[in-house]
Amino acid sequence: MDFETWWLIFVPVLFALGWIASRVDIRQMLSETRSLPNSYFKGLNFLLNEEPDRAIDAFVEVAKLDPETTELHFALGSLFRRRGEMERAIRVHQSLLSRADLPQADRESAQHELAQDFLKAGMLDRAEQAFEQVLDTRFAVPAVRALIRIYESEHDWPRAIEAVKRLRALVDEPVPQLVHYQCERAVAAMAGKNPDFKAASEALDAADHAAAALRGDAGSQASEARIAMLRAQLARLSGKPEEERAYLASVLDTAPEYASLIAGELIESYRQVGQQEEGLAVLQNHYMRYPSLDTFNVVFRELRSQHGHKPAWAFAREALRAHPSLLGLDRMLEAELVLNEDPAGARLAASEGSSAAADIVAGADLSLLRTLIHKHTQRLDRYACRVCGFEARHFYWQCPGCNSWETYQPRRLEEMK
């Protein structure tokens, strides 16, 4: 392509246009800067000097001088909420909502922010009302999730179930807590002096239906285990020991990791029908495939009770060799001490000659040994939430710390470590 001399005319023209544009931008920037109050720059200076409290005061002054700064109001409200100054956060968002000229999008945002303020402040009734006002806006999904948390904290399981169904209509994702909501309904129906067996049965049927959608997922074992345990409880309250035993035994097959939660009840259900030896064999075989501390404890106690010291300690030796555990030894010594205090157990030990426990500890004071070991195992004898790490002596289906469902494993801390 040939170069034309007249093209050089474009060079000064382009330069002039760029100079004009830059002058316009500078003038606009200077004009906007002059319109900003001094408090704004003071706030920025405080932020740069890492003085957040003084910066907040300066920005509050800006908001008072220029009520049109909606973005600054939103920023201040969120900042107050994060700092725990709920009264100030609520006041900021309510002042926004009181403006008649506020655009609809900003009004919805302010309403959602205000609902979060109420929730964090523990004002659940007002938070519920505020979230309900944004259910038909772009904040529908977070609002429904927040309502679910509110209904959970109030133990309003029917409304929590309805809220979960609404959430599933908005987002395509599994909601495993729906099973537990139905289970909580069953627990409530069976509580008290006059259990409502029909309502409990209907709730467990609904839980089964909800659990069917989760089968094959990692968390499905927990749901199936809890449903079986509650059906066993319902059968026991209804005076049906055979059904109770069948439901407890089903946990060994459908949710083997959760056998430790029902091992004691399973043995007791066999004992009620005079088949405790069969129950012990079932549980002992299960322990060989799925060892756990709680199951070990039940098996050791039953062996000691049914067959005496030697078979029980022989089992304990093999179990602790395969799975060394101070907590297991502590449970074993505790059972030995309890049975030694029982007159029948003492007579059995006398008839067998020297105790197997005495042979193992070589004449040491069994009570002192157990005290020393127990002191070091107390912190290991807990369940832990895998989300927030909250530790508890009892197993929970919902973590008391972070309110997450199915985050406790049916194993003690020592087993997980």
Side-chain angles (χ1 to χ4, degrees):
M1 183 172 67
D2 297 331
F3 177 77
E4 298 290 343
T5 307
W6 61 271
W7 288 359
L8 296 174
I9 298 174
F10 285 104
V11 175
V13 171
L14 292 174
F15 177 79
L17 290 174
W19 182 82
I20 293 171
S22 65
R23 294 292 295 175
V24 170
D25 288 341
I26 291 173
R27 286 176 181 175
Q28 182 179 359
M29 184 178 67
L30 290 174
S31 175
E32 292 176 351
T33 302
R34 291 192 191 99
S35 67
L36 290 173
N38 291 333
S39 300
Y40 182 83
F41 298 101
K42 288 181 180 178
L44 290 177
N45 187 50
F46 288 139
L47 281 179
L48 293 174
N49 292 330
E50 297 183 356
E51 298 181 72
D53 292 333
R54 299 182 68 182
I56 288 173
D57 293 336
F59 286 132
V60 169
E61 186 65 28
V62 175
K64 289 179 180 177
L65 294 173
D66 186 4
E68 301 298 321
T69 54
T70 56
E71 292 301 327
L72 183 57
H73 280 73
F74 280 123
L76 284 172
S78 298
L79 184 58
F80 287 144
R81 186 170 64 243
R82 285 198 298 271
R83 289 166 59 92
E85 300 180 52
M86 306 313 304
E87 185 177 348
R88 300 179 76 182
I90 291 170
R91 194 161 58 242
V92 167
H93 293 130
Q94 283 179 334
S95 69
L96 278 173
L97 288 171
S98 66
R99 287 173 46 182
D101 62 336
L102 192 68
Q104 183 61 28
D106 288 341
R107 185 170 297 279
E108 293 171 0
S109 297
Q111 184 67 44
H112 183 243
E113 293 292 326
L114 182 61
Q116 294 184 75
D117 296 338
F118 287 141
L119 181 60
K120 188 168 183 180
M123 305 165 69
L124 299 185
D125 290 341
R126 300 186 70 177
E128 181 182 345
Q129 294 173 3
F131 280 120
E132 286 175 348
Q133 293 183 36
V134 294
L135 286 177
D136 296 324
T137 70
R138 66 186 187 278
F139 298 104
V141 172
V144 173
R145 293 187 191 278
L147 286 172
I148 290 173
R149 294 208 314 273
I150 292 172
Y151 298 146
E152 280 187 3
S153 64
E154 296 175 342
H155 292 181
D156 192 342
W157 307 117
R159 296 183 73 185
I161 291 168
E162 292 303 318
V164 165
K165 291 179 179 177
R166 181 163 189 163
L167 178 63
R168 293 181 68 179
L170 294 171
V171 294
D172 184 17
E173 63 181 33
V175 189
Q177 65 262 40
L178 183 59
V179 178
H180 294 286
Y181 294 162
Q182 300 290 2
C183 288
E184 292 292 342
R185 284 183 58 212
V187 170
M190 288 187 285
K193 296 181 179 179
N194 300 307
D196 189 341
F197 297 145
K198 182 180 179 182
S201 180
E202 290 175 353
L204 290 174
D205 289 341
D208 266 328
H209 180 73
L214 299 174
R215 292 207 168 97
D217 293 346
S220 63
Q221 280 197 16
S223 301
E224 292 180 4
R226 190 178 189 192
I227 293 171
M229 291 167 65
L230 288 174
R231 287 198 181 277
Q233 180 182 348
L234 180 59
R236 181 171 66 255
L237 293 174
S238 303
K240 301 175 181 177
E242 293 290 343
E243 284 189 20
E244 178 192 5
R245 186 182 64 176
Y247 283 124
L248 291 174
S250 70
V251 176
L252 304 183
D253 298 322
T254 59
E257 294 293 331
Y258 289 81
S260 58
L261 300 180
I262 54 94
E265 295 179 7
L266 182 62
I267 283 291
E268 187 59 34
S269 68
Y270 273 100
R271 184 178 289 109
Q272 288 180 2
V273 293
Q275 298 178 357
Q276 57 267 29
E277 290 189 12
E278 180 183 345
L280 175 59
V282 168
L283 206 56
Q284 193 168 355
N285 289 334
H286 185 82
Y287 175 83
M288 301 306 294
R289 291 178 294 160
Y290 302 97
S292 71
L293 284 172
D294 291 328
T295 307
F296 164 84
N297 188 42
V298 174
V299 171
F300 177 80
R301 286 174 180 271
E302 280 301 308
L303 277 171
R304 174 74 159 75
S305 176
Q306 292 184 26
H307 303 292
H309 294 280
K310 292 182 180 178
W313 280 82
F315 162 77
R317 287 193 198 95
E318 295 301 320
L320 292 178
R321 283 197 187 102
H323 309 282
S325 167
L326 274 179
L327 191 53
L329 180 60
D330 177 55
R331 298 280 184 84
M332 189 171 60
L333 293 175
E334 178 189 18
E336 184 71 20
L337 288 169
V338 169
L339 287 169
N340 278 339
E341 292 173 359
D342 178 62
R347 286 195 299 272
L348 179 60
S351 66
E352 292 178 353
S354 63
S355 167
D359 293 339
I360 289 180
V361 299
D365 187 329
L366 207 60
S367 179
L368 176 61
L369 182 61
R370 197 263 167 170
T371 300
L372 293 174
I373 294 175
H374 183 67
K375 184 176 180 181
H376 292 281
T377 58
Q378 282 182 315
R379 295 186 63 185
L380 300 175
D381 192 12
R382 298 172 184 267
Y383 299 101
C385 174
R386 62 173 177 267
V387 173
C388 68
F390 187 90
E391 297 179 7
R393 292 190 178 277
H394 301 286
F395 181 86
Y396 290 101
W397 298 103
Q398 183 185 26
C399 175
C402 63
N403 297 322
S404 300
W405 292 92
E406 297 184 5
T407 54
Y408 276 84
Q409 295 183 12
R411 291 182 172 275
R412 306 286 176 169
L413 274 175
E414 187 185 30
E415 296 176 274
M416 293 189 290
K417 291 179 179 180

